[in-house]
Amino acid sequence: MKADTVDLRRIFGRDVRYTVPLFQRPYVWDRDDNWAALWEDIRRTVERSEQAAQAGEAVAPHFLGAVVFDEAPHMSSDLETRQVIDGQQRLTTLQLFLFAARLSATSRDHEKSVRLLSKFLENDEDLFDRARHPDHLYKVWPTNADRAEFRSVMLGKGGTGRLISAVGYFQQEIDKWLAEAPEPQERLGALVQTMREHLRLVVIDLEEHDDAQVVFETLNSRGTPLEHADLVKNLLFRDAEHAGADIDRLYKTYWAPFDQAEWRTEQTTGRITRSRLDVFLTYWLTMRTQREFTSSALFKEFERWLRSASVPTEEVFAELTRYAEIYERLDQYPSHGVEGRFLYRMKVMQMSTPMPLLLFLYGLSDDVLSPERRRNAVRAIDSYLVRRAILNLSNRDYNHVFRELVAAAAQEPEHADEVIGKTLSAMRGQHRHWPSDAEFRTALEQDPLYARLYRHRVRILLEALEDELRTDHTEQLTAPVGDQLGAKLTIEHVMPQSWRENWPPLEGDPNEGADRDELVHTLGNLTLVTARLNPTLGNMAWDSKRQWLGEHSLLRLTHGTLLNPPPTSDISEWASSWDEHRIRDRGAHLASLALRIWPSAAELFAASVATGSADQ
């Protein structure tokens, strides 16, 4: 490759097109991280040039970074055309700045500056057919996702978007800065001269045998590291281009949605924040390879798989698109269904490790894995995770567990539910085993869950019990969930944690209620109330609390098992008091309901066998 240091006259002062390939990422620079820093660099350079002119000294140039160009594969006019391999964010931003400067010059009727800036923005129309190629007017032509907005900006049509925001920011800063000068017109001339002569870029021109892919992977744009999705995109489209494929068709058919904002928003999994697209690609590749890799190794693992699998590029595009649609549909299941409730619990527990297995299961057609079997598989995963969560068991080995489940299910996809049930039930060790009915029941009835577990785990347990108690005749199918104000229910201790104030111990209790300090945190003493009702109830005595709950709660969890006796209890005059006996009776009943919601491996496997027999 050849490298040279040049000023902007060498880059924009001639008739040339710098085209950004469609496989590059969209424009991502913003004010706080990039525009403000660029403006500060330019402003200081202009002010130094003003001081140097007064002192009769030479002006030290300012370096803006590096750009990498390659030969353009197709020529469609007499204009010299170069592909931008790296530095497209910088080149695009410079064009937006020059356009903003021209707007400021136009508003001040500074015709010389307008003419000079126009030469940096537009090509000579005699060198191309404007009717056939109107966009050849522009020196820089961005990637597909940004072209409509860039065209709108350059035509002065306004609108909304990152490019238009950049122009607005630069014009505002330039106008404010010019107004501060004793001679705004002279300062504007100094700005134009600085843009032409005193700003430098290192231009790297690739030669015939240089590998543009390697260069693209190695270099980073200033302040905005490349996402793994950008590297994957670049690799796939480079392969497609080398194979002679119609890359415009591939982009429009498969990749274009991935360049939209919804896939580029940041989300956090574990302790790592990255784009939603990177997260999806990690899940998909884990499903595809069943290998362990860190988030930082996503691209290298993808490249390794792509080279070893020898899958045609278009098939990879098609598969990514299909699984992306599946991934998006997982957010759309109704909250009262098996999938919706499980996915809600996954979200609350911040559990993402099952996602590769879910992509595999929902990627199978109904002809291969029936919807009933798919729901059985989800119930098995749900039971495994919730039982372990209630027993407060470690999740440190879940990455290995769910990769093994994908591998096992892939061997018998038509019986994936049975395979998942058998594989989970065969796991041994504290970090893997599926808790038995006895272990689960003991924890539910005896453990001080509220004191031992994260609050969100206790809440999803109580929400699931409320759902189980509701019937088709109940006004609402599911308990209200979510983070909206007034929607999310909070956990209430029926016998308060500070029980000694209004809750005297049982007569004849030799321990004088000492057991209550743990008992109040067990399942039998917990219910759900609104965030507004919770502080009102406080430590009030049972008679008052019972009245408040009866008047303001609509939950079956409260009316069906707390204010009224559970169906399994034989305690008479149930509502007359709230004590240890009632807490334990209610806890045993709720534990039985939980065992029904999250069945054991043996019960789920038996259900799968029954389903299989019916299918035959």
Side-chain angles (χ1 to χ4, degrees):
M1 62 181 69
K2 295 184 298 184
D4 195 8
T5 301
V6 302
D7 58 35
L8 295 192
R9 287 175 297 186
R10 289 272 301 277
I11 296 176
F12 296 135
R14 55 203 179 103
D15 293 304
V16 63
R17 295 185 73 229
Y18 298 106
T19 64
V20 181
L22 61 84
F23 46 80
Q24 295 242 19
R25 62 179 168 181
Y27 186 72
V28 297
W29 276 20
D30 59 27
R31 185 186 66 181
D32 293 340
D33 293 330
N34 311 104
W35 304 339
L38 176 64
W39 165 239
E40 184 70 9
D41 289 344
I42 294 172
R43 182 186 63 77
R44 287 182 177 178
T45 306
V46 177
E47 291 173 359
R48 282 202 311 270
S49 72
E50 290 175 329
Q51 295 168 1
Q54 292 175 359
E57 299 173 352
V59 180
H62 180 79
F63 289 89
L64 294 174
V67 291
V68 182
F69 299 137
D70 195 9
E71 292 184 1
H74 306 293
M75 299 293 289
S76 54
S77 70
D78 292 332
L79 288 170
E80 177 188 353
T81 305
R82 306 289 284 167
Q83 264 197 340
V84 183
I85 302 304
D86 191 72
Q88 61 115 336
Q89 305 284 330
R90 183 172 291 104
L91 283 178
T92 304
T93 307
L94 285 171
Q95 284 287 292
L96 297 174
F97 181 88
L98 290 165
F99 183 79
R102 188 173 69 175
L103 291 176
S104 295
T106 301
S107 68
R108 294 177 178 276
D109 295 325
H110 201 284
E111 295 182 1
K112 179 181 177 181
S113 293
V114 171
R115 288 196 305 272
L116 290 173
L117 290 167
S118 295
K119 291 179 180 179
F120 273 34
L121 288 165
E122 296 167 356
N123 289 313
D124 187 337
E125 295 186 32
D126 290 332
L127 297 177
F128 62 94
D129 187 338
R130 182 73 184 269
R132 293 179 57 197
H133 304 294
D135 299 322
H136 287 200
L137 179 66
Y138 309 119
K139 306 276 183 173
V140 173
W141 190 229
T143 191
N144 294 47
D146 296 321
R147 288 176 182 173
E149 186 184 348
F150 185 82
R151 185 186 300 113
S152 179
V153 168
M154 291 302 176
L155 292 175
K157 292 183 177 180
T160 59
R162 194 179 292 260
L163 301 175
I164 292 169
S165 296
V167 171
Y169 168 78
F170 287 134
Q171 186 180 4
Q172 181 181 29
E173 292 297 317
I174 292 169
D175 286 343
K176 183 169 63 176
W177 176 70
L178 291 176
E180 295 170 354
E183 298 293 338
Q185 299 290 77
E186 291 183 12
R187 171 160 280 187
L188 180 58
L191 171 63
V192 174
Q193 183 180 11
T194 295
M195 296 300 296
R196 287 169 52 81
E197 301 176 11
H198 304 317
L199 299 180
R200 300 282 196 273
L201 285 169
V202 176
V203 174
I204 302 172
D205 281 304
L206 300 187
E207 297 179 300
E208 183 179 356
H209 300 294
D210 291 328
D211 191 330
Q213 170 69 19
V214 172
V215 174
F216 180 79
E217 294 170 23
T218 304
L219 296 176
N220 287 312
S221 293
R222 175 183 176 182
T224 309
L226 291 169
E227 295 178 358
H228 289 273
D230 297 316
L231 296 170
V232 167
K233 175 185 178 184
N234 182 69
L235 176 63
L236 289 174
F237 277 104
R238 280 278 170 181
D239 282 359
E241 189 175 57
H242 291 159
D246 184 346
I247 58 174
D248 282 309
R249 180 186 64 81
L250 292 176
Y251 179 82
K252 292 174 184 176
T253 304
Y254 301 113
W255 192 271
F258 291 135
D259 279 336
Q260 301 306 307
E262 64 185 89
W263 281 105
R264 299 289 175 160
T265 55
E266 289 189 341
Q267 65 180 61
T268 301
T269 53
R271 298 178 181 178
I272 301 171
T273 299
R274 48 201 176 129
S275 73
R276 183 168 175 253
L277 181 53
D278 272 13
V279 172
F280 160 70
L281 288 173
T282 300
Y283 296 149
W284 173 83
L285 191 59
T286 301
M287 176 203 71
R288 206 61 166 81
T289 64
Q290 293 137 43
R291 283 168 51 95
E292 181 179 13
F293 57 90
T294 63
S295 59
S296 61
L298 170 59
F299 172 68
K300 289 302 180 184
E301 183 68 14
F302 178 87
E303 185 178 34
R304 185 205 64 78
W305 168 80
L306 186 66
R307 299 307 180 216
S308 62
S310 299
V311 181
T313 305
E314 183 157 2
E315 289 185 21
V316 178
F317 277 123
E319 184 171 327
L320 287 174
T321 299
R322 187 169 79 88
Y323 277 97
E325 292 171 354
I326 293 169
Y327 184 63
E328 293 206 295
R329 283 202 301 272
L330 289 175
D331 285 333
Q332 298 168 8
Y333 281 96
S335 61
H336 58 271
V338 170
E339 296 94 341
R341 297 307 285 174
F342 166 64
L343 291 165
Y344 163 71
R345 286 190 276 268
M346 265 184 60
K347 181 179 179 181
V348 171
M349 292 193 291
Q350 298 180 332
M351 190 78 64
S352 60
T353 45
M355 194 57 72
L357 178 59
L358 294 178
L359 287 178
F360 174 79
L361 292 173
Y362 286 87
L364 299 172
S365 69
D366 291 350
D367 294 336
V368 175
L369 184 68
S370 69
E372 183 61 33
R373 283 186 174 274
R374 192 176 291 115
R375 283 190 289 272
N376 280 340
V378 170
R379 290 194 68 195
I381 302 165
D382 191 20
S383 176
Y384 176 79
L385 292 175
V386 171
R387 286 189 176 212
R388 288 185 58 84
I390 297 303
L391 268 70
N392 206 23
L393 297 174
S394 170
N395 60 8
R396 61 184 290 183
D397 211 28
Y398 283 2
N399 281 322
H400 297 289
V401 167
F402 284 97
R403 284 200 311 277
E404 290 177 21
L405 291 175
V406 172
Q411 297 299 313
E412 296 183 66
E414 67 279 3
H415 300 110
D417 58 333
E418 296 177 30
V419 171
I420 289 170
K422 289 179 180 178
T423 304
L424 285 174
S425 63
M427 290 189 173
R428 298 291 181 265
Q430 184 180 7
H431 298 302
R432 287 175 160 242
H433 93 284
W434 190 347
S436 66
D437 284 355
E439 291 173 302
F440 192 36
R441 179 179 286 278
T442 298
L444 291 166
E445 292 187 11
Q446 300 179 18
D447 286 1
L449 300 181
Y450 184 86
R452 186 169 296 175
L453 303 180
Y454 291 115
R455 299 289 183 270
H456 62 254
R457 294 187 184 182
V458 182
R459 196 180 81 237
I460 62 173
L461 169 61
L462 294 170
E463 288 170 349
L465 290 168
E466 171 65 22
D467 291 342
E468 187 68 14
L469 287 164
R470 296 189 180 203
T471 69
D472 292 341
H473 300 291
T474 309
E475 291 85 354
Q476 186 176 341
L477 287 176
T478 57
V481 297
D483 297 323
Q484 302 91 343
L485 183 63
K488 187 170 70 176
L489 298 173
T490 62
I491 302 166
E492 165 68 14
H493 291 76
V494 184
M495 180 184 288
Q497 299 178 68
S498 302
W499 55 269
R500 289 174 176 82
E501 182 179 348
N502 294 311
W503 299 69
L506 293 173
E507 291 185 15
D509 182 359
N511 296 321
E512 296 185 347
D515 294 341
R516 288 182 173 181
D517 290 330
E518 280 207 357
L519 190 64
V520 294
H521 297 307
T522 61
L523 177 60
N525 189 53
L526 304 177
T527 191
L528 294 169
V529 297
T530 63
R532 182 171 294 179
L533 180 59
N534 194 310
T536 303
L537 298 175
N539 297 327
M540 66 173 55
W542 168 243
D543 287 341
S544 300
K545 182 170 284 193
R546 179 184 62 191
Q547 183 177 350
W548 274 85
L549 288 171
E551 290 179 1
H552 299 288
S553 177
L554 298 175
L555 298 185
R556 298 297 306 150
L557 184 64
T558 298
H559 282 273
T561 68
L562 175 58
L563 299 178
N564 293 288
T568 54
S569 177
D570 57 4
I571 296 177
S572 60
E573 298 182 2
W574 173 270
S576 62
S577 67
W578 187 253
D579 54 28
E580 289 87 334
H581 303 307
R582 288 164 174 78
I583 290 173
R584 292 190 177 99
D585 254 29
R586 182 172 178 264
H589 176 66
L590 295 180
S592 296
L593 289 178
L595 285 164
R596 197 163 75 197
I597 300 168
W598 297 290
S600 67
E603 289 174 343
L604 270 176
F605 180 66
S608 294
V609 171
T611 302
S613 300
D615 290 343
Q616 294 173 8

